[in-house]
Amino acid sequence: MASRVFVFFNCDAEKSQSSMNIFYNDATYKDTPISRRRLFRKIEAEKKAGRVQIAEENLAKIEQAVMKGNPSDASQFITYGAIKELKCF
């Protein structure tokens, strides 16, 4: 049975795959409540450091997607950042 992990990437505003570097963003987050919380904290830290842009009104939407939905859906609310899902076998 396949499981999944999520990776947060810093990227360009267009979220082009060529701007997502697995050697720079190499942390994976499991599909568990604890790991999803870590992913959300990573996003908050990137916002605080100024490496991504997130409108304040979208922070709750991002938290909802990361904690209870599909974390990849949060990417639409993040500029200069994206979350990608990887399948593990």
Side-chain angles (χ1 to χ4, degrees):
M1 177 177 211
S3 61
R4 61 187 183 165
V5 296
F6 301 96
V7 179
F8 171 84
F9 288 101
N10 296 93
C11 59
D12 61 21
E14 291 77 34
K15 299 181 188 331
S16 66
Q17 286 188 336
S18 62
S19 70
M20 297 180 198
N21 184 345
I22 195 70
F23 297 105
Y24 180 74
N25 298 113
D26 60 356
T28 59
Y29 302 90
K30 296 177 185 177
D31 192 7
T32 65
I34 291 171
S35 204
R36 283 174 175 247
R37 173 61 55 196
R38 287 184 185 133
L39 173 56
F40 183 67
R41 287 188 186 133
K42 169 69 173 173
I43 296 165
E44 289 179 312
E46 290 294 304
K47 179 183 184 304
K48 184 176 181 181
R51 291 186 285 267
V52 300
Q53 296 174 357
I54 300 170
E56 286 301 320
E57 63 270 13
N58 289 333
L59 204 53
K61 294 174 188 174
I62 292 170
E63 184 175 19
Q64 180 69 22
V66 170
M67 296 306 300
K68 300 195 189 254
N70 183 342
S72 298
D73 292 342
S75 295
Q76 66 185 311
F77 303 111
I78 305 170
T79 304
Y80 304 113
I83 301 165
K84 295 293 181 177
E85 177 181 332
L86 303 175
K87 300 247 191 287
C88 301
F89 295 93

